[in-house]
Amino acid sequence: MDVTLITGASGGIGEALATQLAARKHNLLLVARSADKLDRLCTQLAESYGVQANCIPADLSKPEAAGQIYEECRKKKLTVTLLINNAGIGSSGEFVKNDRQAELEMLQLNNASLVALCHLFLPNMIASRKGGIINVASLAAFFPSPYMAVYAASKVFVRSFTEALTQECKPYGIRVLLFSPGFTSTNFMNTPANDNAWGKALTDGAYTQTAQQVAIEMIQAWEKNETFHVSGRLNAWSVRLGALIPNATIARLFASRKRKQMSR
Ligand SMILES: NC(=O)c1ccc[n+]([C@@H]2O[C@H](COP(=O)([O-])OP(=O)(O)OC[C@H]3O[C@@H](n4cnc5c(N)ncnc54)[C@H](OP(=O)(O)O)[C@@H]3O)[C@@H](O)[C@H]2O)c1
């Protein structure tokens, strides 16, 4: 059976995507750590939309997780025709004071597992000349971001990797979309690594979309065959304007503004 695989589907943007895609009759394969949440969502989507919804609980901060998901798919005879690499976490604060292990696990989740999933599922897409990939980056992929240095760098990686992959996949007829949300009202900022004074200063007054708005915008971008999309008009404009300013200047201004906010 052909399925759309969504990582990070137990909440936030991933859950909203699962609901929107089920309404469009996609059969789904949902991945996240919270098995109970995934089970409930699968049941609800199957009942509401008459689709087949499967889940694989997995911790993508572990190097072996991507391979295990691929093997489960083979066992269950699920063919991934759309891979949405959405799972991701962030961290806020001074780099030197952040937990080193947590930062490294973030890189495994945001980058290495994303690369592994693309590498595992692409060959079959290429062989059947059918399929596509959406990689979720962030507004942070366009600006150096002091006080969320590792997160922003991880999203620069997603951006660079995906823009290159888009071109490599073109001759095979496989589409790849780089989708970059701005601040979105989800649990993203409520995790232990983000729920602190720096996190609050970083998001203070930011233009915010809902998870549903972001999910709909992603699906529309995909349906319009786009390969690059920044979510939210204001965010898209900030990326265009930001490109005119040297990165070092943006980093300096960003850092001094955040330090001022923190000293108030
Ligand atoms: N919200 C924002 O402001 C914002 C802005 C720009 C970009 N983004 C990006 O959008 C994507 C989705 O974020 P969101 O806002 O929807 O965040 P969220 O509400 O925190 O949801 C994150 C999802 O990822 C899953 N996840 C977290 N750690 C995982 C792990 N180790 N292994 C497997 N799954 C894991 C979570 O499920 P479990 O806890 O059950 O594992 C959850 O389903 C991320 O890539 C994020 O970087 C978000």
Side-chain angles (χ1 to χ4, degrees), residues 8 10 13 33-34 59-60 86 137 151 155 181-184 186-187:
S10 65
I13 295 169
R33 290 167 302 180
S34 311
D59 183 348
L60 288 163
N86 162 74
Y151 172 71
K155 292 301 184 176
F183 283 116
T184 310
T186 64
N187 279 325

Side-chain angles (χ1 to χ4, degrees), residues 32-186:
R33 290 167 302 180
S34 311
D36 49 344
K37 284 192 198 164
L38 290 180
D39 273 338
R40 276 199 299 275
L41 184 59
C42 282
T43 307
Q44 182 206 319
L45 295 177
E47 280 173 10
S48 305
Y49 301 106
V51 295
Q52 300 259 8
N54 291 273
C55 66
I56 301 178
D59 183 348
L60 288 163
S61 70
K62 305 274 183 268
E64 62 279 9
Q68 288 166 350
I69 293 166
Y70 179 75
E71 279 311 314
E72 275 291 299
C73 286
R74 277 164 52 104
K75 274 191 216 145
K76 293 182 172 173
K77 300 203 181 321
L78 301 175
T79 304
V80 174
T81 49
L82 177 57
L83 167 64
I84 307 182
N85 280 306
N86 162 74
I89 56 167
S91 67
S92 308
E94 251 184 90
F95 167 69
V96 72
K97 293 181 184 163
N98 285 349
D99 182 81
R100 184 164 66 249
Q101 187 57 28
E103 298 280 68
L104 294 175
E105 284 178 4
M106 175 167 63
L107 292 177
Q108 177 67 45
L109 168 65
N110 293 5
N111 299 141
S113 288
L114 175 147
V115 169
L117 288 170
C118 290
H119 198 260
L120 286 161
F121 287 106
L122 255 176
N124 190 48
M125 292 181 189
I126 289 172
S128 57
R129 298 243 157 198
K130 189 169 88 174
I133 296 175
I134 302 176
N135 285 339
V136 177
S138 166
L139 208 52
F142 300 91
F143 307 104
S145 308
Y147 305 107
M148 52 175 186
V150 177
Y151 172 71
S154 80
K155 292 301 184 176
V156 172
F157 178 98
V158 173
R159 175 188 169 192
S160 175
F161 169 67
T162 306
E163 286 178 334
L165 195 64
T166 298
Q167 297 309 320
E168 288 193 25
C169 287
K170 241 185 195 168
Y172 300 113
I174 305 300
R175 279 201 293 130
V176 181
L177 165 64
L178 173 70
F179 185 89
S180 300
F183 283 116
T184 310
S185 51
T186 64

